[in-house]
Amino acid sequence: MSEGQHSTDEAFRLEVRSWLEENLAGDFGALRGLGGPGSEHVAFDERLAWDRHLSAAGWTCLGWPVEHGGRGVSVQQQVIFHEEYARANAPHRANHMGEELLGPTVIAFGTPEQQARFLPRIKAIDELWCQGYSEPGSGSDLAAVSTSAYLEDGQWHVTGQKVWTSLAHLADWCFVVARTEPGSKGHRGLSYLLVPMDQPGIEVRPIQQLTGTSEFNEVFFDDARTDASLVVGEPGDGWRIAMGTLGFERGVATLGQQVGFRRELDHLVALARSTGAANDPLVRDRLLRSYRDLEVIRAHVLRTLESVTSGVPGTESSVAKLLWARWHRDLGQLAMQIRGADGLLTDADGLDEWQRLFLFTRADTIYGGSDEIQRNIIAERTLGLPREARP
């Protein structure tokens, strides 16, 4: 990096930090630290208002090209924003699915008409999105999708079931991977459809989690309809488009996620010191290993960032998902070890932060692509091992 670029990036960092300090005040200041996995129900409307405040000030869609309403900033400056956002303990974003997943996908693969229809509404946060990937019979294995769709009289007719659909009960639209070629198997014959949620053919049922909350949902499609033009890419090309979306999902925002992880680790170290658990050499060793492993995850993401955000990801994103999911799950287990017997008790206010962390991180190795699927991807695409037998 040149000295001039370094100076520009540091000026950008100061701009971000100053804006957040000035605007995370009053009612918005009360939102610090709210939301996120396991707590998406907390102050959702207030966090949505904060997201729209960010948008009005030009702090959303930073990496989008200028011609599509973004700021077109560099990958490095996107990293800076997410790091500063996390360090400020700003509230979890309500528009992640639209801004970070569907928006970049439509920019990379969508038609000009799709871009004109959806991108301004995503940027203004007038429409919220959810992801229709996982299914009860196939989990995170997109190649085993059975939800089907056929084209008739200018509309796609969608029938099937999706599961673990985050925030489907609040979403206006869903991007759905469906099988559109009868008799096709595996990744062939899939299409990537944009489906409106507010219609008679869709039913959303909440799934109560171990934490007692219900941000995940089952979504049932019973002859749901969407316009023929609302297929991203060509019909039958859905696998490639879906993989592009997954690459965007594991892009620069994960570095902000890791700042949040570091904050959790720092709080856990403080807890261990206050309870005396840090006097146990085995606990100290696990805390040190957690710190080391988090640094390894950050180094991996920084090293592979350009590839992951290119829209045509390799296995780098699968490696990153394996690393952070297992790290976070293990942190939850360590938190319970440090809490000791007190961690088994709840009070009238329900779960505390460590109990919620422990319970929700059971899902980290499942959602966003299970560990088993990520290992298969790495084995087959990087190591050249034989494909796992599939029905």
Side-chain angles (χ1 to χ4, degrees):
M1 181 189 300
S2 68
E3 183 176 343
Q5 185 60 53
H6 177 74
S7 177
T8 299
D9 288 346
E10 286 307 302
F12 182 79
R13 184 181 296 278
L14 289 175
E15 180 187 1
V16 174
R17 187 176 297 170
S18 298
W19 190 89
L20 288 170
E21 288 176 355
E22 180 179 342
N23 286 268
L24 275 172
D27 291 341
F28 286 145
L31 302 178
R32 287 180 187 265
L34 298 185
S39 300
E40 288 286 8
H41 63 290
V42 176
F44 184 85
D45 290 341
E46 293 83 356
R47 290 189 292 114
L48 184 59
W50 163 252
D51 247 19
R52 288 170 175 157
H53 182 67
L54 283 170
S55 177
W59 290 113
T60 60
C61 308
L62 296 180
W64 290 17
V66 173
E67 61 267 28
H68 292 302
R71 289 180 57 169
V73 307
S74 67
V75 170
Q76 180 60 32
Q77 289 186 351
Q78 293 176 60
V79 169
I80 288 171
F81 174 82
H82 286 289
E83 289 181 336
E84 291 301 319
Y85 191 88
R87 289 191 178 108
N89 202 21
H92 190 79
R93 304 284 296 281
N95 191 36
H96 172 77
M97 290 287 183
E99 179 180 342
E100 303 288 352
L101 276 68
L102 194 278
T105 301
V106 171
I107 290 171
F109 305 108
T111 65
E113 293 76 16
Q114 290 168 351
Q115 292 165 355
R117 164 63 182 84
F118 293 109
L119 296 180
R121 291 171 174 83
I122 292 173
K123 185 177 186 300
I125 319 179
D126 288 336
E127 293 176 339
L128 298 177
W129 287 80
C130 62
Q131 182 181 51
Y133 277 16
S134 297
E135 296 187 1
S138 58
S140 299
D141 185 2
L142 282 182
V145 159
S146 61
T147 293
S148 64
Y150 65 90
L151 191 59
E152 182 177 274
D153 296 331
Q155 288 191 315
W156 292 100
H157 296 243
V158 184
T159 298
Q161 181 185 354
K162 299 294 181 177
V163 73
W164 305 330
T165 310
S166 298
L167 304 180
H169 58 298
L170 300 170
D172 301 293
W173 287 82
C174 183
F175 46 99
V176 178
V177 176
R179 194 164 296 283
T180 53
E181 295 180 11
S184 62
K185 294 183 178 180
H187 63 268
R188 295 179 177 84
L190 301 174
S191 295
Y192 191 106
L193 306 176
L194 309 180
V195 181
M197 293 292 288
D198 185 14
Q199 58 172 301
I202 295 181
E203 180 184 359
V204 177
R205 298 180 189 172
I207 300 172
Q208 184 168 343
Q209 299 148 201
L210 290 173
T211 55
T213 58
S214 301
E215 66 195 66
F216 290 155
N217 300 272
E218 295 178 288
V219 182
F220 296 86
F221 299 89
D222 183 8
D223 196 33
R225 313 289 180 89
T226 194
D227 289 343
S229 62
L230 296 185
V231 54
V232 181
E234 295 296 324
D237 196 26
W239 177 265
R240 182 175 69 95
I241 310 302
M243 292 302 100
T245 301
L246 288 177
F248 296 125
E249 181 177 20
R250 298 165 189 162
V252 293
T254 61
L255 289 168
Q257 174 195 54
Q258 289 162 38
V259 174
F261 288 171
R262 177 61 185 274
R263 183 185 299 112
E264 289 175 341
L265 177 57
D266 289 344
H267 289 174
L268 189 57
V269 169
L271 177 67
R273 287 172 175 163
S274 68
T275 63
N279 296 327
D280 183 337
L282 295 178
V283 171
R284 288 202 306 272
D285 180 68
R286 288 190 65 185
L287 289 168
L288 180 60
R289 288 172 181 266
S290 294
Y291 174 81
R292 178 204 63 190
D293 292 347
L294 191 57
E295 290 299 304
V296 169
I297 295 170
R298 173 178 169 77
H300 171 77
V301 172
L302 285 172
R303 181 174 60 85
T304 62
L305 202 53
E306 291 288 353
S307 171
V308 170
T309 57
S310 67
V312 188
T315 57
E316 299 90 345
S317 61
S318 292
V319 173
K321 174 59 170 61
L322 278 174
L323 290 173
W324 75 251
R326 294 176 67 82
W327 184 93
H328 205 212
R329 182 200 64 184
D330 291 348
L331 188 72
Q333 292 175 336
L334 180 55
M336 288 297 97
Q337 180 181 345
I338 290 172
R339 285 291 311 280
D342 288 345
L344 301 176
L345 304 175
T346 60
D347 56 27
D349 295 327
L351 302 173
D352 63 28
E353 62 175 312
W354 302 115
Q355 293 166 331
R356 186 176 296 107
L357 175 72
F358 171 72
L359 291 174
F360 193 84
T361 54
R362 305 296 86 198
D364 280 346
T365 58
I366 300 174
Y367 73 79
S370 70
D371 279 11
E372 291 77 11
I373 295 298
Q374 304 312 320
R375 291 193 188 97
N376 281 352
I377 290 172
I378 294 167
E380 295 170 7
R381 300 184 193 173
T382 297
L383 302 180
L385 297 177
R387 287 177 60 85
E388 182 181 47
R390 292 178 170 89

